Amino acid sequence: IAGITQAPTSQILAAGRRMTLRCTQDMRHNAMYWYRQDLGLGLRLIHYSNTAGTTGKGEVPDGYSVSRANTDDFPLTLASAVPSQTSVYFCASSAQRNTEAFFGQGTRLTVV
Amino acid sequence: DQQVKQNSPSLSVQEGRISILNCDYTNSMFDYFLWYKKYPAEGPTFLISISSIKDKNEDGRFTVFLNKSAKHLSLHIVPSQPGDSAVYFCAASAGGNTPLVFGKGTRLSVIA
């Protein structure tokens, strides 16, 4: 089934550890995004990529990094996790501007 | 500074009645607006969109109205059904390759 796959679905992580959240899409979409959802704050953009080989910072990029080596994959890395990074993380992709973005099922991350 | 605002965190409506969810925006460069629906433990799913060249778009029980002069859009659901109970996010996009900006969401409860 075409779509976006995120892994893992959930993770408990010790503070200070490094973690990479994986995201893969098979729709050949150019643009990909990482959002975090926190209670009362909605969906906030962390990083995005308009096409393979390019990335950009969103609203809350600090503590996160991304790479876009190819069209399909857009991993999000927490270099040294902190408790404030406890959140639900959503990866999304879109074909082009002014089209809807499709979201993955999310990764629930708890940093303790 | 929030560019997309959903000022009602929650809304309760009786089954069969109309649900009206509101959204305001501040960025006059936004030219494409979307509504997403999110169930617990799932990713957001696209519901309906509208381009700034229109003032109304309808899809079955869902209608989105756009008032550009007031920088306001609304989602009407009629008749409301218990399965419509979810969190609804308003999102907007500006020109070029800018990512979607989301509001904080409104939790709709449709009571049977």
Side-chain angles (χ1 to χ4, degrees), chain A residues 98 100, chain B residues 32-35 46-51 57-58 64:
Chain A
N98 287 2
E100 65 268 28
Chain B
Y32 188 61
F33 304 89
L34 309 89
W35 285 94
F46 169 74
L47 192 57
I48 192 169
S49 63
I50 188 167
S51 165
N57 188 26
E58 192 171 355
V64 56

Side-chain angles (χ1 to χ4, degrees), chain B residues 79-91:
Chain B
S80 301
Q81 299 174 354
D84 296 330
S85 297
V87 177
Y88 289 78
F89 289 100
C90 173

Side-chain angles (χ1 to χ4, degrees), chain A residues 27-31 93-97 99-102:
Chain A
M27 297 175 283
R28 307 303 293 171
H29 284 171
N30 286 324
S93 71
S94 63
Q96 58 192 16
R97 69 180 291 265
T99 61
E100 65 268 28
F102 294 85

Side-chain angles (χ1 to χ4, degrees), chain B residues 19-38:
Chain B
S19 297
I20 300 176
L21 296 96
N22 293 302
C23 178
D24 299 293
Y25 61 96
T26 58
N27 188 343
S28 57
M29 296 300 292
F30 287 148
D31 63 355
Y32 188 61
F33 304 89
L34 309 89
W35 285 94
Y36 279 81
K37 178 179 181 179
K38 187 184 179 305

